[in-house]
Amino acid sequence: MQVTIDGPAGVGKTSVGKKVADRFSLLFIQSGQLYRALAYGKLNQMDYSSLALNPEGDSNLELTIGGEEVTKKLTSEEIAEEASKLAKKKEIRALVNDRISRIARDQDVLVEGRDIGTEVLPDAEVKIFLTASAKERAKRRKKQLQIDRPLKDIENGIKKRDERDQNREISPLRPADDAVILNTNSLDESKVVERVASLIGDYLKD
Ligand code: C5P
């Protein structure tokens, strides 16, 4: 089974996706982490093709580049910024998409990102697109990462990334025609989890 959750930066794809993936024993893949791992590789002069995805058990994924385990080293703004720049490149997107679709052929997956339902797994059985205002997303990010910067700064960073993700030529951020769009502005995380879980439950019943 393939489930996709797409949406802009900071909308909650990761926290929601992880919980839903655990509940249904789906391998959880954060596609942004692959771009971030490549950004880490770039900043450390590593070969992009050495990026590897190693599933651990049912739902966890470990990422290595140049043989180095980088899963927990990818949260900085510097890496996010570099990842968003790299994500504009066709050959980089092709590399990431190839790694993801190979795994999704053999295992039940929940993949989150920007273009998973549109480009990477267009035949996925359940597709979700999460939205929330830039201000709401900035508030969540500040709280989650305990960032010691003014909210407005964080919001501006998010807007800049939105702009880049929505307007790039290849695979811009947009919902697939058959995605269910969930506006999460006034929904807390547990409600979003329940909505997504019930969409998967409905699919499994049919
Ligand atoms: O989701 P995350 O913030 O970790 O993603 C880092 C960057 O990777 C994003 O800003 C975006 O530019 C890029 N990305 C993408 N397509 C995806 C996932 C992430 O272009 N499917």
Side-chain angles (χ1 to χ4, degrees):
M1 176 183 203
Q2 298 178 347
V3 177
T4 66
I5 302 184
D6 288 302
V11 75
K13 301 182 297 284
T14 300
S15 42
V16 168
K18 175 85 187 114
K19 292 202 166 78
V20 175
D22 281 348
R23 192 180 301 184
F24 291 92
S25 299
L26 303 168
L27 177 67
F28 181 49
I29 305 178
Q30 296 168 254
S31 58
Q33 288 286 89
L34 275 70
Y35 291 100
R36 286 171 183 257
L38 292 172
Y40 181 93
K42 178 167 186 205
L43 297 170
N44 293 284
Q45 287 93 40
M46 289 166 168
D47 181 4
Y48 293 144
S49 65
S50 65
L51 175 70
L53 284 63
N54 311 311
E56 287 184 314
D58 271 350
S59 63
N60 264 330
L61 189 67
E62 183 195 89
L63 288 181
T64 62
I65 186 160
E68 183 179 339
E69 213 298 66
V70 290
T71 322
K72 295 194 175 66
K73 300 180 181 167
L74 305 174
T75 50
S76 75
E77 289 292 315
E78 186 194 13
I79 296 262
E81 186 61 23
E82 191 60 49
S84 160
K85 285 183 192 156
L86 276 182
K88 288 205 277 188
K89 299 186 178 183
K90 202 169 159 187
E91 62 282 8
I92 296 286
R93 302 204 73 83
L95 174 72
V96 167
N97 296 354
D98 175 67
R99 294 288 198 280
I100 295 173
S101 39
R102 271 169 203 259
I103 287 206
R105 244 179 264 151
D106 303 332
Q107 256 178 282
D108 291 333
V109 292
L110 186 157
V111 188
E112 61 97 332
R114 308 288 193 287
D115 61 338
I116 312 302
T118 50
E119 303 280 342
V120 187
L121 301 176
D123 299 324
E125 287 88 354
V126 178
K127 297 182 184 177
I128 319 282
F129 192 89
L130 300 181
T131 66
S133 69
K135 186 166 185 187
E136 176 63 27
R137 288 182 280 136
K139 275 194 216 155
R140 292 178 192 171
R141 189 137 278 192
K142 187 170 168 69
K143 195 169 155 203
Q144 180 197 9
L145 299 177
Q146 313 217 312
I147 307 173
D148 193 19
R149 278 195 358 242
L151 193 63
K152 199 75 203 155
D153 258 28
I154 304 172
E155 185 181 338
N156 287 339
I158 281 184
K159 283 184 173 160
K160 208 165 96 189
R161 278 216 279 156
D162 281 359
E163 165 84 15
R164 199 181 284 145
D165 289 345
Q166 285 161 355
N167 296 318
R168 66 171 170 239
E169 247 164 68
I170 330 160
S171 305
L173 169 70
R174 67 170 179 85
D177 293 338
D178 52 349
V180 174
I181 300 177
L182 282 182
N183 183 324
T184 70
N185 267 342
S186 53
L187 292 177
D188 66 23
E189 188 190 289
S190 63
K191 292 223 172 63
V192 183
V193 168
E194 290 316 316
R195 295 282 280 277
V196 175
S198 83
L199 289 165
I200 298 175
D202 288 347
Y203 169 79
L204 292 172
K205 252 190 268 156
D206 291 343

